[in-house]
Amino acid sequence: MNYLRGFIPWIVFAAVGSAHWQWGALAALAAGACLFSMDRKRGVSADSLILEQSTIAFFAVLSVIAFAAPDSGLRDYGGALATGWLALTAWVTLAVRKPFTTGIAKRQAPREVWTHPVFVRINVVLTSVWALAFTLTAAALAVIDAESLGSTASIAVQVAGFAVPAVITARYPERARRAAVQKGARR
């Protein structure tokens, strides 16, 4: 569950931002900067902190907008914007062949497996799952916000949008490793 740590600022924004979007954005920025700083002090390389850097960038911009224009229409679409940004981050990391989950996985996996095709494939699949989940969640939240369907629908979509890929992330790597071992044994 170590991979969920990177989502703490987004959870902070969802919790605090639902009542006060300016303070939610600022609290998320502070949480993101704190986590990034802690990781860097522990020696985690910057290229393993793609999600954290993207988080800081998003919440820095959103904080400025939120305090400069507190009544901005963006306020009503905070969840959709945040999740859309996560989707964009995930898709870009796939496009440049540096899936964001790789940096997280490298914190737990031994260095000798980092270039192994199974390790690489697992992270492409996991980042794709997260990218799709973020995209669908952002679209659903935009509709919920536009149609004023309320916080119950928004919370349900956000929980599902994180829970489904989290479960897949928890289960898929071991299943993929077993399949690779079985495939190798058949040769």
Side-chain angles (χ1 to χ4, degrees), residues 100-180:
F100 83 88
T101 58
T102 303
I104 299 165
K106 284 181 176 180
R107 296 180 213 172
Q108 300 168 10
R111 184 176 291 276
E112 57 269 13
V113 303
W114 291 1
T115 58
H116 193 280
V118 174
F119 181 82
V120 172
R121 179 72 182 145
I122 287 170
N123 283 287
V124 168
V125 169
L126 292 179
T127 298
S128 298
V129 166
W130 282 101
L132 181 60
F134 292 147
T135 301
L136 295 174
T137 301
L141 289 173
V143 170
I144 288 167
D145 293 339
E147 298 297 322
S148 300
L149 298 177
S151 62
T152 302
S154 178
I155 291 168
V157 165
Q158 289 181 64
V159 168
F162 278 92
V164 170
V167 168
I168 292 169
T169 300
R171 295 181 180 170
Y172 175 74
E174 186 55 38
R175 189 175 297 164
R177 282 189 287 274
R178 275 197 314 265

Side-chain angles (χ1 to χ4, degrees), residues 21-104:
W21 80 302
Q22 303 99 316
W23 297 108
L26 193 59
L29 174 60
C34 181
L35 290 171
F36 181 79
S37 176
M38 288 170 39
D39 284 338
R40 292 295 288 150
K41 285 179 184 174
R42 282 197 318 247
V44 178
S45 66
D47 68 336
S48 291
L49 298 169
I50 294 168
L51 180 62
E52 291 79 358
Q53 293 173 67
S54 175
T55 296
I56 291 168
F58 177 80
F59 286 116
V61 171
L62 189 63
S63 292
V64 169
I65 293 169
F67 280 99
D71 295 326
S72 167
L74 294 179
R75 178 185 69 197
D76 298 331
Y77 293 91
L81 288 172
T83 310
W85 181 263
L86 285 169
L88 179 64
T89 299
W91 290 119
V92 167
T93 66
L94 285 168
V96 299
R97 299 177 193 255
K98 292 185 180 280
F100 83 88
T101 58
T102 303
I104 299 165

